[in-house]
Amino acid sequence: MVRIGYTMMTEQAGPRELVEHVVGAERAGFDFSVTSDHFFPWLTEQGHSPYAWSVLGAAAQATSRIPLMTYVTCPTTRYHPAVVAQKAATVQLLSEGRFRLGLGSGENLNEHVVGRGWPGVRERQEKLAEAVEIIRRLFAGGYVSYRGTHFTVDSAKLWDLPQAAPPIGIAVSGESSCRIAGELGDLVIATEPERALLDAFDRHGGAGKPKVGQVPICYDTDRDAAVARAHAQFRWSVGPWPVNAQLPTPAAFDGATRYVTRDDIAEAIPCGSDVDTFVDAVRAYADAGFTEVALVQIGGDHQEPFLGWAEKELLPALREL
């Protein structure tokens, strides 16, 4: 059975609302939750971007069952990996062992704010691998000093460590990232239902480890309204990932997606209230080999009706996958 998750999308709701939403997701019966970790929204129309780690701390206290996870944090530019290790250990303690640390090589959209430039993909992946090594050493306890190609750590130690370290997930988009994920990760993260990515992950040591996907959806009893909302807030998602990783601002994403039509979005994102349409979208991930799929309901002010519908209709249908 594929586990079904709920996404706290920080780009489309404020911090208090995000916590209320994940409480509702727990009540509705979702198996786990994930949260994005952004400094900017993808598009101005989304309108939000609170600090994800504060939201996670509040969510850990407001919920009691549902697992939490970053989807994903970049531990190389905005954040130093030692600081990411401290944050992750703290959330694991607050949630009493319900946290998983999802990591990725990041996007210029969020990382440019510290003014260090945006390196090429090879350097980003080298930095990610070093960051994972540092985080794991700190999770192991004791003092850590490290001098690598990209990072230096001087006598760092985590003074509040959970009994079980958070599992580390790594986002993938190609062979190189699949190698890093397979060798260094406890699970793999991907946003496309591509079996080739999971096969590469398995070849590099990932066989038998959890595989977590994510799919955007837009529930609304008025399908036209759902398509319009998805187009306004999620048209960025149809762009190729190598381009999305490079764009620096919401204005840049607006320009890059100016020719994306509502018909394009209606074809790419399940919209409306037909349960079978949503089940088919998740089935594509299940057929590719994913063991978990997190749903993104588009529209920060459309979460409550979605959660009620999901509890009564969508989740029961998805349990049959």
Side-chain angles (χ1 to χ4, degrees), residues 23-282:
V23 168
E26 180 177 68
R27 187 182 306 117
F30 280 87
D31 298 316
F32 68 101
S33 69
V34 304
T35 184
S36 55
D37 184 355
H38 271 234
F39 198 91
F40 276 91
W42 297 99
L43 293 164
T44 302
E45 289 92 337
Q46 291 177 316
H48 294 275
S49 201
Y51 184 53
W53 290 88
S54 297
V55 173
L56 283 165
Q61 295 297 285
T63 59
S64 60
R65 176 194 61 80
I66 194 167
L68 307 168
M69 178 179 176
T70 50
Y71 203 102
V72 296
T73 286
C74 175
T76 64
T77 308
R78 229 182 345 142
Y79 308 138
H80 189 281
V83 177
V84 173
Q86 183 188 35
K87 294 190 290 190
T90 299
V91 174
Q92 180 74 322
L93 287 166
L94 287 170
S95 66
E96 299 182 299
R98 289 183 284 136
F99 180 66
R100 294 183 292 180
L101 176 61
L103 301 175
S105 59
E107 303 95 22
N108 194 19
L109 175 71
N110 303 302
E111 308 307 316
H112 78 272
V113 297
V114 294
R116 296 180 185 171
W118 187 236
V121 63
R122 182 172 181 175
E123 181 177 337
R124 298 201 303 270
Q125 292 178 350
E126 289 175 355
K127 294 174 74 174
L128 176 61
E130 278 195 21
V132 174
E133 182 179 356
I134 291 166
I135 291 167
R136 286 207 184 276
R137 289 192 187 184
L138 286 165
F139 283 169
Y143 284 93
V144 173
S145 292
Y146 179 94
R147 186 173 296 277
T149 303
H150 302 286
F151 294 109
T152 298
V153 178
D154 183 9
S155 300
K157 177 183 176 179
L158 300 183
W159 287 87
D160 289 277
L161 275 172
Q163 186 173 16
I168 295 176
I170 297 177
V172 300
S173 59
E175 184 72 24
S176 179
S177 56
C178 287
R179 177 184 56 78
I180 295 170
E183 294 176 356
L184 303 180
D186 300 307
L187 55 136
V188 70
I189 294 165
T191 57
E192 297 291 338
E194 295 184 16
R195 180 177 290 275
L197 291 175
L198 303 187
D199 289 344
F201 173 66
D202 286 347
R203 284 198 307 273
H204 292 291
K209 297 177 182 179
K211 300 170 173 67
V212 187
Q214 187 182 57
V215 58
I217 62 175
C218 197
Y219 164 76
D220 199 300
T221 54
D222 182 338
R223 186 175 183 276
D224 290 340
V227 172
R229 186 166 71 251
H231 180 264
Q233 297 192 25
F234 237 79
R235 62 186 182 277
W236 61 272
S237 65
V238 300
W241 181 249
V243 174
N244 285 353
Q246 300 295 329
L247 298 178
T249 63
F253 277 92
D254 184 56
T257 58
R258 105 177 28 170
Y259 298 113
V260 176
T261 67
R262 290 188 180 184
D263 287 343
D264 295 329
I265 293 300
E267 183 175 346
I269 296 175
C271 294
S273 58
D274 178 23
V275 170
D276 290 342
T277 301
F278 294 86
V279 170
D280 287 344
V282 174

